[in-house]
């Protein structure tokens, strides 16, 4: 069995999604089909020995819609055609909403005296002229609302009914009925009936439905932003070594086994294994860990993570749809296209909804006409049933909320497996939170600065300036934390000479003609520097799980700094809120 994803065009409501599902399932060889109205997407499982994507597309076309096979490579360069098509459609809908909105407002204002039975001084009587209202309503009915009638006719030819059918029947009935009082007012008066017209009802209904379509279109467009942002994380090109030369190639052209060169500060284009060189890599995008990870020959690297310090060469082991980032994107796409259990119920309901509404509307007309003997009231109540009973909200609310929820989650680093997970979330009793990057800020921060003379003294700022001056020359993330802390205290680094980084131990150099050495406790002992004066404070910070660096000036310890991943300011309030909701909150950390 194989899977295929199809982008659908021409759907106007949840009933259309059901029609497409039925059409695809009728194709021999198709075992499973799920159509998501909100995502405008179909996921099909089929037997390639019995059918193919082309046959499935033909079935969709025969049902009155269109289907485009989606690219197999989820990280292939994005085609802007779809976005441009949606934007053009939005502009077209916006124009129609403005035109129909202005005309509808004019018609409603002109109809107020007749509706209320009260003469309103600022509304001229000629504004309620039925001939004028006929002329004003015509462009709304036949241009703004043309798509409803066209789609209703297509549905009728397929022996089905959709939301467009309801709108077309409702507004068409209101408009056609109004033609009789307009052309034959005397006959109505002779029958003892008022020659009332309902042009404003037809215009307002079309305006409101068009406004709903416009908002629906915008919601659908926004849901794909999360996917686009995830795709934007990948590098655009790779520096492959071919025939002994460095060649910049598009990422889509990287093949398995390619040797790729990565320089400091660059994104790693695809997944692979280092074959030459060493570096530290920021993998927080994948793991959430704030500190860059040291990598050397034989270690794996992940595409879209950032190379921090050294240069290295790696062999591409996973490319295209097989990369780690592609799997994340695919997971989000599957989650957005999945159906919650409640949505399956809604789909079953909407399948019978339109025919049921039409039947109820016919019954309403017959009952009102027989009981009241008033064709006007019978028509108005029938139109009311047709228009108010709109299944679009029923079919669109759940898939749209799922797409928005999973998309927003992905933007914030939260991967939701599917719609069922979201629906079950209200039953949660306990929640497990990762520490790094979730409860904490996800980057090293100086939390403690202790000197041999205490903290509130003038020597503290001088010592901080010397430490920041040395650390500014280092690329280590802990060094960056020291520099940031100094600047937050209003201290700017000074010039340094004879800077030296001692691998695995620390850094040293001369600042203000003083030898400044900053590093680990082990390095201090190797240098023969006495650390007993701050041993107790060091033990306390180590016990708290903080990384401690020692600062020595001219061979004498002057202070220590505790560095850790600081808790986010919002974490305490968020955890308390979850606890008040009755959740047991658990912290999971290495």
């Amino acid at each position: 069995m194989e899977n295929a994803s199809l982008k659908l065009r021409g759907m106007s409501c949840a009933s259309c999604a059901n029609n497409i599902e039925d059409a695809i399932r009728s194709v021999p060889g198709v075992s499973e089909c799920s159509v998501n109205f909100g995502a405008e997407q179909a996921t099909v499982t089929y037997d390639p020995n019995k059918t193919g994507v082309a046959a499935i597309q033909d079935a969709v076309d025969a049902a009155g819609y269109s289907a485009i096979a989606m690219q197999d490579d989820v990280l292939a360069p994005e085609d802007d055609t779809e976005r441009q098509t949606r934007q053009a459609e939005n502009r077209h809908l916006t124009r129609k909403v403005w035109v129909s909105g202005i005309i509808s407002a004019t018609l409603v204002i002109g109809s107020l005296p007749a509706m209320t039975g009260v003469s309103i001084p600022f509304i001229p009587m000629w504004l309620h002229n039925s001939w004028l209202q006929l002329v004003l309503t015509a462009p709304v009915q036949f241009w703004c609302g043309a798509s409803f009638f066209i789609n209703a006719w297509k549905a009728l030819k397929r022996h089905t009914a959709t939301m467009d059918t309801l709108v077309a029947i409702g507004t068409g009935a209101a408009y056609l009925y109004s033609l009789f009082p307009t052309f034959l007012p005397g006959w109505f008066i002779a029958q003892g009936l008022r020659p009332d017209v309902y042009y404003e009802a037809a215009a307002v209904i079309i305006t409101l439905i068009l406004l709903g379509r416009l908002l629906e279109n915008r919601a659908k467009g926004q849901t794909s932003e999360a996917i686009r942002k995830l795709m934007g994380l990948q590098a655009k090109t790779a520096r492959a070594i071919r025939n002994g030369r460095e060649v910049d190639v598009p990422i889509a052209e990287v093949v398995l086994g390619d040797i790729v060169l990565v320089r400091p500060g660059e994104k790693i284009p695809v997944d692979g294994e280092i074959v030459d060189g060493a570096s530290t890599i920021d993998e927080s995008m994948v793991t959430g860990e704030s500190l860059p990870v040291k990598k050397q020959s034989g270690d794996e690297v992940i595409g879209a993570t950032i190379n921090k310090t050294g240069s290295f060469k790696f062999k591409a082991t996973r490319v295209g749809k097989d990369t780690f980032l592609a799997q994340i994107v695919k997971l989000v796409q599957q989650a957005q296209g999945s159906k919650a259990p409640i949505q399956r119920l809604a789909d079953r309901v909407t399948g019978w909804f339109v025919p049921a509404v039409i039947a109820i509307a016919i019954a309403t007309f017959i009952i009102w006409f027989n009981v009241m003997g008033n064709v006007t009231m019978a028509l108005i109540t029938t139109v009311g049933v047709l228009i108010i009973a709109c299944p679009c909200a029923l079919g669109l609310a759940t898939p749209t909320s799922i797409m928005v929820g999973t998309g927003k989650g992905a933007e914030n680093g939260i991967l939701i497996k599917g719609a069922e997970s979201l629906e079950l979330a209200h039953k949660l009793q306990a929640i497990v939170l990762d520490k790094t990057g979730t409860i904490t800020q996800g980057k090293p921060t100086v939390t403690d600065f202790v000197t041999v003379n205490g903290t509130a003294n003038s020597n503290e700022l001088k010592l901080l300036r010397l430490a920041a001056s040395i650390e500014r020359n280092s690329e280590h993330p802990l060094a960056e934390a020291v520099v940031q802390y100094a600047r937050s205290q209003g201290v700017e680094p000074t010039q340094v000479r004879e800077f030296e980084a001692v691998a695995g131990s620390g850094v040293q150099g001369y600042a203000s003609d003083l030898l400044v050495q900053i590093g680990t406790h082990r390095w201090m002992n190797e240098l023969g520097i006495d650390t007993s004066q701050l041993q107790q404070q060091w033990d306390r910070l180590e016990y708290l799980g903080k990384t401690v660096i020692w600062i020595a000036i001219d061979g004498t310890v002057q202070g220590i700094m505790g560095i850790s991943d600081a808790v986010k300011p919002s974490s305490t309030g968020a955890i308390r809120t979850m606890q008040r909701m009755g959740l047991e909150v658990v912290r999971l950390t290495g």
Side-chain angles (χ1 to χ4, degrees):
M1 305 301 287
E2 291 186 4
N3 293 316
S5 295
L6 303 173
K7 197 68 181 176
L8 302 172
R9 284 282 174 266
M11 291 193 296
S12 60
C13 67
S15 296
C16 296
N18 291 328
N19 294 338
I20 294 174
E21 273 192 6
D22 291 341
I24 294 176
R25 286 199 179 105
S26 66
V27 177
V30 172
S31 64
E32 193 175 334
C33 172
S34 175
V35 174
N36 189 309
F37 173 49
E40 297 180 316
Q41 185 176 324
T43 304
V44 186
T45 303
Y46 64 95
D47 184 347
N49 296 317
K50 296 180 179 179
T51 189
V53 174
I56 296 169
Q57 287 176 293
D58 290 341
V60 175
D61 291 339
Y65 308 91
S66 63
I68 304 167
M70 297 175 68
Q71 287 179 314
D72 187 41
D73 189 347
V74 293
L75 286 181
E78 187 184 11
D79 185 2
D80 287 334
T81 305
E82 185 185 333
R83 189 192 298 187
Q84 291 170 357
T85 301
R86 190 181 295 282
Q87 288 173 346
E89 188 178 345
N90 281 345
R91 287 193 295 270
H92 186 58
L93 273 173
T94 302
R95 281 195 297 271
K96 286 187 172 183
V97 168
W98 274 108
V99 170
S100 61
I102 292 170
I103 292 174
S104 297
T106 305
L107 291 170
V108 169
I109 292 170
S111 302
L112 284 176
M115 289 182 194
T116 60
V118 177
S119 177
I120 302 174
F122 65 85
I123 300 178
M125 287 304 295
W126 57 264
L127 202 58
H128 185 54
N129 183 280
S130 58
W131 288 98
L132 175 64
Q133 293 203 0
L134 168 62
V135 172
L136 287 174
T137 307
V140 177
Q141 191 80 12
F142 299 111
W143 178 62
C144 298
S147 61
F148 301 123
F149 294 93
I150 293 169
N151 291 334
W153 175 246
K154 288 180 179 178
L156 181 62
K157 289 194 294 184
R158 299 190 303 268
H159 307 293
T160 60
T162 66
M163 174 61 196
D164 290 320
T165 306
L166 300 184
V167 177
I169 293 174
T171 59
Y175 186 81
L176 287 173
Y177 173 83
S178 300
L179 292 177
F180 290 98
T182 302
F183 286 94
L184 303 169
W187 183 86
F188 277 79
I189 294 170
Q191 300 297 319
L193 299 171
R194 290 174 55 183
D196 292 331
V197 294
Y198 298 96
Y199 294 117
E200 83 285 345
V204 167
I205 288 164
I206 288 174
T207 300
L208 292 176
I209 300 293
L210 284 175
L211 178 61
R213 291 276 167 91
L214 177 61
L215 297 175
E216 172 189 314
N217 246 36
R218 288 182 175 175
K220 288 176 181 176
Q222 289 168 357
T223 55
S224 58
E225 283 300 312
I227 298 295
R228 279 195 281 269
K229 287 182 179 178
L230 281 173
M231 288 180 175
L233 292 174
Q234 66 175 339
K236 300 296 183 288
T237 60
R239 189 173 292 107
I241 299 175
R242 294 175 178 173
N243 299 321
R245 295 176 56 197
E246 296 178 14
V247 183
D248 286 336
V249 297
I251 190 171
E253 294 181 12
V254 177
V255 296
L256 288 176
D258 265 349
I259 302 298
V260 180
L261 173 65
V262 183
R263 296 192 175 112
E266 293 181 342
K267 282 185 178 179
I268 297 170
V270 295
D271 298 0
E273 180 182 314
I274 295 178
V275 294
D276 183 33
S279 182
T280 55
I281 296 175
D282 179 2
E283 293 184 339
S284 58
M285 184 273 290
V286 175
T287 64
E289 289 300 324
S290 56
L291 293 179
V293 182
K294 291 181 180 179
K295 299 281 186 176
Q296 57 190 13
S297 184
D299 290 338
E300 289 190 355
V301 292
I302 301 171
T305 56
I306 301 171
N307 181 30
K308 297 291 284 186
T309 53
S311 296
F312 62 88
K313 296 175 184 176
F314 74 94
K315 182 173 70 174
T317 56
R318 285 187 296 272
V319 299
K321 65 179 181 179
D322 298 322
T323 64
F324 188 88
L325 178 62
Q327 296 302 313
I328 294 176
V329 172
K330 190 173 182 181
L331 181 65
V332 175
Q333 286 178 333
Q334 289 173 343
Q336 286 191 335
S338 62
K339 287 188 178 184
I342 191 68
Q343 188 181 341
R344 297 190 188 101
L345 174 62
D347 287 348
R348 284 199 295 271
V349 171
T350 52
W352 293 95
F353 199 89
V354 174
V357 168
I358 292 174
I360 293 169
I362 294 171
T364 301
F365 182 87
I366 294 170
I367 293 169
W368 273 88
F369 184 73
N370 288 333
V371 173
M372 303 297 294
N374 188 328
V375 68
T376 302
M377 287 304 298
L379 180 66
I380 292 171
T381 50
T382 300
V383 170
V385 170
L386 290 169
I387 301 305
I388 292 169
C390 170
C392 276
L394 192 65
L396 185 65
T398 305
T400 302
S401 61
I402 288 167
M403 287 192 299
V404 172
T406 52
K408 284 292 181 186
E411 286 179 27
N412 291 281
I414 303 167
L415 294 181
I416 299 166
K417 190 174 181 182
E420 191 169 356
S421 303
L422 275 177
E423 186 172 326
L424 292 172
H426 73 283
K427 297 181 180 180
L428 284 177
Q429 295 175 312
I431 186 163
V432 181
L433 301 177
D434 177 38
K435 178 176 73 73
T436 306
T438 303
I439 298 173
T440 64
Q441 293 177 353
K443 61 179 182 180
T445 307
V446 175
T447 56
D448 301 87
F449 179 35
V450 182
T451 68
V452 292
N453 298 317
T455 53
N457 63 86
S458 59
N459 289 329
E460 180 189 12
L461 293 181
K462 180 182 177 182
L463 181 61
L464 184 57
R465 178 176 286 105
L466 294 172
S469 299
I470 299 296
E471 295 285 27
R472 186 176 60 172
N473 293 273
S474 172
E475 295 175 328
H476 198 282
L478 296 183
E480 187 179 338
V482 173
V483 174
Q484 290 297 326
Y485 175 72
R487 285 179 174 155
S488 71
Q489 302 299 311
V491 174
E492 283 297 325
T494 62
Q495 294 298 316
V496 171
R497 59 185 176 85
E498 298 181 32
F499 173 81
E500 181 187 1
V502 182
S505 298
V507 291
Q508 63 182 8
Y510 286 89
S512 301
D513 294 326
L514 297 172
L515 174 60
V516 183
Q517 294 168 304
I518 306 172
T520 64
H521 185 259
R522 175 180 53 78
W523 191 41
M524 292 293 134
N525 290 334
E526 289 174 0
L527 294 172
I529 297 174
D530 183 16
T531 59
S532 59
Q533 199 168 356
L534 294 174
Q535 189 69 36
Q536 187 175 348
Q537 290 87 336
W538 178 76
D539 289 338
R540 179 180 63 83
L541 294 175
E542 283 278 310
Y543 176 76
L544 293 174
K546 299 184 179 183
T547 301
V548 184
I549 58 173
W550 292 76
I551 307 169
I553 307 296
D554 287 339
T556 305
V557 165
Q558 296 293 328
I560 58 173
M561 282 184 175
I563 301 175
S564 70
D565 191 359
V567 173
K568 291 178 184 175
S570 58
S571 292
T572 303
I575 291 169
R576 284 177 178 163
T577 299
M578 287 187 281
Q579 288 173 334
R580 283 196 295 270
M581 291 167 64
L583 292 171
E584 179 186 357
V585 184
V586 180
R587 182 187 69 176
L588 184 69
T589 176

Short mmCIF file of all heavy atoms in Angstrom, two decimals, residues 268 274 279-284 291-295 300-302 305-309 312:
data_model
loop_
_atom_site.label_atom_id
_atom_site.label_comp_id
_atom_site.label_asym_id
_atom_site.label_seq_id
_atom_site.Cartn_x
_atom_site.Cartn_y
_atom_site.Cartn_z
N ILE A 268 24.11 23.93 9.31
CA ILE A 268 24.44 22.64 8.72
C ILE A 268 23.31 22.28 7.76
O ILE A 268 22.14 22.25 8.16
CB ILE A 268 24.61 21.57 9.81
CG1 ILE A 268 25.80 21.96 10.72
CG2 ILE A 268 24.83 20.19 9.21
CD1 ILE A 268 25.92 21.14 11.97
N ILE A 274 30.58 13.65 10.82
CA ILE A 274 31.83 14.39 10.64
C ILE A 274 32.95 13.43 10.23
O ILE A 274 33.14 12.38 10.85
CB ILE A 274 32.20 15.15 11.93
CG1 ILE A 274 31.17 16.24 12.24
CG2 ILE A 274 33.59 15.79 11.81
CD1 ILE A 274 31.43 17.00 13.52
N SER A 279 34.27 20.92 16.15
CA SER A 279 33.60 22.20 16.41
C SER A 279 32.64 22.03 17.57
O SER A 279 32.50 20.94 18.14
CB SER A 279 32.84 22.65 15.15
OG SER A 279 32.23 23.91 15.37
N THR A 280 31.99 23.13 17.93
CA THR A 280 30.86 23.09 18.86
C THR A 280 29.63 23.52 18.07
O THR A 280 29.69 24.47 17.28
CB THR A 280 31.06 24.02 20.06
OG1 THR A 280 31.33 25.35 19.60
CG2 THR A 280 32.20 23.55 20.94
N ILE A 281 28.53 22.83 18.29
CA ILE A 281 27.32 23.06 17.50
C ILE A 281 26.15 23.37 18.41
O ILE A 281 25.92 22.69 19.42
CB ILE A 281 27.01 21.82 16.63
CG1 ILE A 281 28.14 21.61 15.62
CG2 ILE A 281 25.69 21.98 15.90
CD1 ILE A 281 28.01 20.35 14.80
N ASP A 282 25.40 24.41 18.05
CA ASP A 282 24.19 24.80 18.78
C ASP A 282 23.05 23.92 18.28
O ASP A 282 22.54 24.10 17.18
CB ASP A 282 23.89 26.28 18.52
CG ASP A 282 22.62 26.75 19.22
OD1 ASP A 282 22.01 25.93 19.94
OD2 ASP A 282 22.24 27.92 19.04
N GLU A 283 22.65 22.95 19.11
CA GLU A 283 21.57 22.03 18.75
C GLU A 283 20.28 22.33 19.49
O GLU A 283 19.39 21.49 19.59
CB GLU A 283 22.00 20.58 19.01
CG GLU A 283 23.14 20.11 18.11
CD GLU A 283 23.48 18.64 18.31
OE1 GLU A 283 23.15 18.11 19.39
OE2 GLU A 283 24.08 18.04 17.40
N SER A 284 20.18 23.56 20.04
CA SER A 284 19.01 23.91 20.85
C SER A 284 17.71 23.80 20.05
O SER A 284 16.65 23.54 20.60
CB SER A 284 19.17 25.32 21.41
OG SER A 284 19.33 26.27 20.38
N LEU A 291 23.65 24.87 25.97
CA LEU A 291 25.08 24.88 25.69
C LEU A 291 25.40 24.15 24.39
O LEU A 291 24.89 23.04 24.16
CB LEU A 291 25.85 24.21 26.83
CG LEU A 291 25.85 24.94 28.18
CD1 LEU A 291 26.63 24.13 29.21
CD2 LEU A 291 26.46 26.33 28.05
N PRO A 292 26.21 24.75 23.52
CA PRO A 292 26.63 24.05 22.30
C PRO A 292 27.35 22.75 22.63
O PRO A 292 28.01 22.63 23.66
CB PRO A 292 27.58 25.06 21.64
CG PRO A 292 27.14 26.39 22.14
CD PRO A 292 26.71 26.14 23.55
N VAL A 293 27.21 21.78 21.74
CA VAL A 293 27.75 20.44 21.96
C VAL A 293 29.05 20.29 21.17
O VAL A 293 29.13 20.67 20.00
CB VAL A 293 26.73 19.37 21.50
CG1 VAL A 293 27.28 17.97 21.77
CG2 VAL A 293 25.41 19.57 22.21
N LYS A 294 30.09 19.75 21.82
CA LYS A 294 31.35 19.51 21.13
C LYS A 294 31.21 18.32 20.18
O LYS A 294 30.67 17.27 20.54
CB LYS A 294 32.46 19.23 22.15
CG LYS A 294 32.86 20.44 22.98
CD LYS A 294 33.98 20.09 23.94
CE LYS A 294 34.39 21.31 24.78
NZ LYS A 294 35.46 20.98 25.75
N LYS A 295 31.68 18.50 18.96
CA LYS A 295 31.59 17.44 17.95
C LYS A 295 32.97 17.23 17.33
O LYS A 295 33.71 18.19 17.10
CB LYS A 295 30.60 17.83 16.85
CG LYS A 295 29.17 18.05 17.33
CD LYS A 295 28.43 16.74 17.54
CE LYS A 295 26.98 17.00 17.86
NZ LYS A 295 26.20 15.75 17.97
N GLU A 300 27.68 12.49 14.84
CA GLU A 300 26.59 12.87 13.94
C GLU A 300 26.24 14.34 14.09
O GLU A 300 26.32 14.89 15.19
CB GLU A 300 25.35 12.01 14.20
CG GLU A 300 25.49 10.56 13.76
CD GLU A 300 24.17 9.81 13.82
OE1 GLU A 300 23.18 10.41 14.30
OE2 GLU A 300 24.13 8.65 13.38
N VAL A 301 25.85 14.97 12.99
CA VAL A 301 25.37 16.35 13.01
C VAL A 301 23.97 16.38 12.39
O VAL A 301 23.64 15.53 11.56
CB VAL A 301 26.31 17.31 12.26
CG1 VAL A 301 27.62 17.46 12.99
CG2 VAL A 301 26.56 16.84 10.82
N ILE A 302 23.18 17.35 12.81
CA ILE A 302 21.78 17.42 12.40
C ILE A 302 21.57 18.67 11.54
O ILE A 302 22.02 19.77 11.89
CB ILE A 302 20.85 17.47 13.63
CG1 ILE A 302 21.06 16.22 14.49
CG2 ILE A 302 19.39 17.60 13.21
CD1 ILE A 302 20.36 16.27 15.83
N THR A 305 20.87 22.81 12.38
CA THR A 305 21.54 23.29 13.59
C THR A 305 22.70 24.20 13.18
O THR A 305 23.10 24.22 12.02
CB THR A 305 22.04 22.12 14.46
OG1 THR A 305 22.91 21.29 13.68
CG2 THR A 305 20.87 21.28 14.96
N ILE A 306 23.24 24.96 14.13
CA ILE A 306 24.19 26.03 13.80
C ILE A 306 25.59 25.68 14.29
O ILE A 306 25.79 25.36 15.47
CB ILE A 306 23.73 27.36 14.41
CG1 ILE A 306 22.33 27.72 13.86
CG2 ILE A 306 24.71 28.48 14.08
CD1 ILE A 306 21.69 28.90 14.56
N ASN A 307 26.56 25.76 13.38
CA ASN A 307 27.97 25.55 13.72
C ASN A 307 28.51 26.81 14.39
O ASN A 307 28.41 27.91 13.83
CB ASN A 307 28.76 25.24 12.45
CG ASN A 307 30.23 24.99 12.75
OD1 ASN A 307 30.57 24.49 13.82
ND2 ASN A 307 31.09 25.32 11.81
N LYS A 308 29.10 26.67 15.58
CA LYS A 308 29.50 27.85 16.36
C LYS A 308 30.96 28.25 16.14
O LYS A 308 31.26 29.41 15.87
CB LYS A 308 29.25 27.60 17.85
CG LYS A 308 27.80 27.39 18.22
CD LYS A 308 26.95 28.64 18.06
CE LYS A 308 27.20 29.61 19.21
NZ LYS A 308 26.28 30.76 19.13
N THR A 309 31.91 27.32 16.31
CA THR A 309 33.32 27.73 16.39
C THR A 309 34.17 27.25 15.23
O THR A 309 34.57 28.04 14.37
CB THR A 309 33.92 27.25 17.72
OG1 THR A 309 33.69 25.85 17.88
CG2 THR A 309 33.30 27.98 18.89
N PHE A 312 34.53 22.14 9.77
CA PHE A 312 34.63 20.69 9.66
C PHE A 312 34.00 20.23 8.35
O PHE A 312 33.24 20.97 7.69
CB PHE A 312 33.97 19.99 10.84
CG PHE A 312 32.49 20.25 10.98
CD1 PHE A 312 31.56 19.44 10.33
CD2 PHE A 312 32.01 21.30 11.75
CE1 PHE A 312 30.21 19.67 10.44
CE2 PHE A 312 30.66 21.55 11.88
CZ PHE A 312 29.75 20.73 11.22
#
